[in-house]
Amino acid sequence: MKLATVRAAEGTRAVRVEADRYVDLGFPDVRRLLEAPGWSVLAAADGPALSLDTPLAAVVPEPGKVLCVGLNYRSHILEMGRDLPEHPTLFAKFADALIGAGDDIVAAPESDMVDWEAELVVVIGATVRRADPATAAAAIAGFTVMNDVTMRDWQFRTREWLQGKTFDSTTPLGPVLVTPDELPGGTAPACTISTTVNGDVMQSAETSDLLFTPVDLVQYISTMITLRPGDVIATGTPSGVGHARSPQVFLKAGDKVVTEISGIGRLENSVVSG
């Protein structure tokens, strides 16, 4: 099943994605759908049809938590010159950073080092705390795509990364949530993840390169905090970021960025000046 949040005339709506239409599920967004008891049954119900031309919002427009994992692809850890971590490296974003799959990425004028990071994202579908592996897997509603756009000069001002990670209107999330049963590997998706900038391939990897799996991350994070429906966990980016290139390459106004994960979908965003 594929779910999305669209911008309809009356406001945002949670929809099921069909080949020829969106089906309005009667909730204002995917988070509200996931919060409803028996959401998977509700998501399969019939409803009014909306055109596939209806624009997409962030698949979860206002998650309670946007949790992110740094240094989680072996290839990216090595390109950044670091040792493999024993535990996940965690940071956060705020909902104001999130945009839709086709929205413009706003490059802040305060940064000269705007970078891309393709990421597989876990969307939580059940309240969970101190999960064992089976409970963690069952709490995963599905997966989506994020471009964790980062202001590198701000990120590395201090040892804490938050300030470079959560500039407003920088982070596309979507286009859809895909339930695990539709992906090879289920809750351990075996997918190809990539980024192109102006048609040039910058990142291309397999999600099997992840050091900590989605289930590992739900277990680890739920040890500390309660995860709730609609929370999202960005699982990290593979090698190929602009900061690690020689010479370094960063995004600028007018660039076209495509972030894609096989079996889930693609984000197509233009960069504009803030």
Side-chain angles (χ1 to χ4, degrees), residues 1-5 30 34 56-61 63 73 98-101 118-124 140-147 172-180 183 189 191-193 207 214 230-236 259-267:
M1 186 182 300
K2 294 183 179 180
L3 305 173
T5 299
V30 166
L34 296 176
L56 292 163
V59 66
V60 185
Y73 280 82
L98 302 180
I99 59 175
E119 307 214 7
L120 174 73
V121 174
V122 178
V123 183
I124 299 297
I140 296 174
F143 296 91
T144 190
V145 187
M146 175 188 283
N147 189 345
L173 180 69
V176 298
L177 178 158
V178 179
T179 52
L183 293 172
C191 303
T192 299
I193 182 170
T207 54
D231 288 348
V232 299
I233 303 170
T235 62
T259 312
E260 186 169 11
I261 299 179
S262 61
I264 301 177
R266 56 197 278 142
L267 312 169

Side-chain angles (χ1 to χ4, degrees), residues 111-134:
S111 177
D112 296 320
M113 302 175 72
V114 182
D115 207 348
W116 57 85
E117 294 191 7
E119 307 214 7
L120 174 73
V121 174
V122 178
V123 183
I124 299 297
T127 300
V128 63
R129 181 78 198 279
R130 296 190 175 97
D132 59 26

Side-chain angles (χ1 to χ4, degrees), residues 31 35 64-65 123-128 225-232:
R31 174 184 171 183
E35 289 173 339
K65 305 176 191 70
V123 183
I124 299 297
T127 300
V128 63
I225 57 176
T226 301
L227 292 172
R228 303 186 189 279
D231 288 348
V232 299

